[in-house]
């Protein structure tokens, strides 16, 4: 069954998620089974003792028959409790199976488009009402193909210059003291600031968390600027790197940046990213090379398609989405319902004024996700309380910190055969007549 909304937030996953609750039922049934096993052993011991007392049954009643009767009654009482525990354990497991069947049926109906038709229709109405076509829909065309990217990545890079990836390097640009807000809303504010800094920037924040150093990696969303000349790793090719290449290029540059910022091996790290940046941030949670050097503890994403990324069980993650934002769902699956993974979907209505450039739709706006993050910080939902507590345990309360900014750049795409046009821009590809 879907979780109850928290205001205009719908929360799934985490300690309050249905999967975790089913796990708790199984754990409870297991504990009952173990208690029953211990009682069965006690019952067996009492029966053995009763047999040993049989030789004394002809003695005076107070020392013979009475003792036998008392031992047998004790054995029966233990057996009765044991059988009751086994009955309850069976009911708990039966309850879990019924929940799983209902959950599977609901998920199948959702996949077939049969669940809540009015709600599904309204989602499409809201999506078109946002007016996303007022802006550049190029990213949408790219993201709709992300499911196929691992298989078609070589062909994509060969034929579409704007989607090519390449080796990424990190160059330190500046280091400055900041007043750091360690809440989810504060993390997304750092995304806004780094995006305003310019193309290709990321930020590494060094935080004093109770006498130890922790680090925050801040990754921006997609940046499409012709003036970058194909050198910005967060252009459309960054989506290919993230969805088709597990962010291999960007992750290597993140490790390079952390080292340059003074992060020693084994340091605790939090990663935050918006849109494409969330893909790269989440890919860190599944990157063996990164996890071998640093302890990634928490990932925050906003408007990012991350359902196909399987994080390490040691990493907690929080994913912000909006019901009218198509980008998080462009990978074709809902996020996992797991103890260490929480998804928050904003359900409020959004509108676009006539003539307003909605870009990819107001549901995908960073400012909207910042508001969602603030609501998360104030929520009493058990999954969100636990998730934000994990974040606080890594970063502390915030305060004085040091932000080091790096500009990431990739090798420009090489020339391609003549007389080809980029199917996305329609412009002649490099080297075309």
């Amino acid at each position: 069954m879907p979780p109850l909304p928290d205001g205009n937030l719908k929360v799934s996953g985490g300690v309050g998620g249905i999967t975790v609750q089913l796990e708790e039922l199984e754990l409870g049934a297991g504990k009952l089974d173990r208690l029953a096993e211990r009682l069965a052993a006690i019952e067996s011991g009492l029966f053995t003792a009763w047999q040993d007392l049989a030789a004394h049954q002809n003695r005076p009643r107070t020392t013979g028959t009475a003792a036998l009767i008392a031992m047998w009654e004790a054995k029966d009482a233990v057996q009765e409790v044991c059988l009751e525990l086994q009955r309850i354990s069976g009911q708990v497991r039966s309850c879990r199976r019924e929940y799983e069947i209902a959950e599977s049926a609901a998920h199948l109906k959702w996949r077939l488009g049969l669940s809540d038709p009015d709600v599904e229709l309204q989602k499409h109405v809201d999506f078109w009402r946002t007016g996303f076509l007022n802006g550049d829909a190029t990213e949408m065309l790219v993201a709709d193909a992300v499911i196929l990217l691992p298989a078609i990545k070589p062909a994509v890079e060969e034929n579409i210059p704007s989607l090519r990836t390449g080796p990424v390097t990190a160059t330190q640009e500046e280091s400055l003291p900041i007043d750091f807000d360690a809440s989810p809303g504060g993390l997304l504010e750092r995304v806004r600031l780094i995006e305003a800094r310019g193309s290709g920037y990321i930020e590494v924040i060094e935080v004093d968390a109770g006498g130890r150093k922790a680090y925050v990696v801040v990754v921006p969303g997609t940046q499409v600027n012709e003036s970058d000349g194909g050198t910005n790793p967060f252009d459309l090719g960054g989506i290919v790197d993230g969805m088709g290449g597990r962010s291999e290029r960007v992750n290597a540059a993140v490790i390079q940046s952390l080292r340059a910022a003074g992060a020693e091996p084994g340091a605790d790290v939090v990663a935050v990213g918006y849109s494409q940046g969330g893909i790269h941030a989440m890919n860190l949670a599944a990157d063996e090379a990164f996890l071998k050097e640093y302890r990634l503890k928490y990932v925050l994403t906003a408007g990012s398609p991350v359902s196909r990324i399987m994080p390490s069980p040691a990493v907690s993650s929080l994913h912000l989405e909006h019901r009218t934002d198509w980008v998080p769902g462009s990978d074709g699956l809902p996020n996992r319902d797991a103890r260490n993974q929480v998804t928050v979907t904003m359900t409020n209505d959004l509108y676009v004024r006539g003539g307003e450039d909605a870009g990819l739709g107001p549901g995908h706006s960073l400012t909207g996700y910042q508001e969602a993050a603030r609501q998360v910080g104030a929520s009493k939902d058990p999954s969100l309380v636990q998730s934000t507590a994990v974040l606080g345990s890594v970063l502390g309360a915030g305060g004085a910190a040091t932000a080091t900014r790096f500009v990431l750049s990739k090798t420009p795409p090489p020339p391609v055969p003549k007389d080809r046009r980029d199917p996305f821009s329609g412009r002649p590809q490099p080297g075309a007549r």
Side-chain angles (χ1 to χ4, degrees), residues 99 113 121 152 154 184 227-228 276 316 325 374 401 426:
Y99 272 119
L121 176 61
I152 66 174
S227 60
D228 293 337
Q276 181 191 143
S316 294
D325 185 2
R374 285 189 286 269

Side-chain angles (χ1 to χ4, degrees), residues 11-16 182-184 187 270 297-301 315-320 338-344 373 376-377 379-396:
V11 183
S12 63
V15 296
S183 69
L187 293 180
V270 168
K297 307 294 286 186
Y298 195 92
V299 177
L300 170 62
T301 71
V315 181
S316 294
S317 62
L318 173 63
H319 311 292
L320 306 180
R339 180 182 295 274
N340 66 329
Q341 195 165 357
V342 182
T343 300
V344 177
V376 165
S379 174
K380 302 301 182 184
D381 179 273
S383 292
L384 296 183
V385 170
Q386 193 270 346
S387 180
T388 53
V390 172
L391 179 62
S393 69
V394 180
L395 299 180

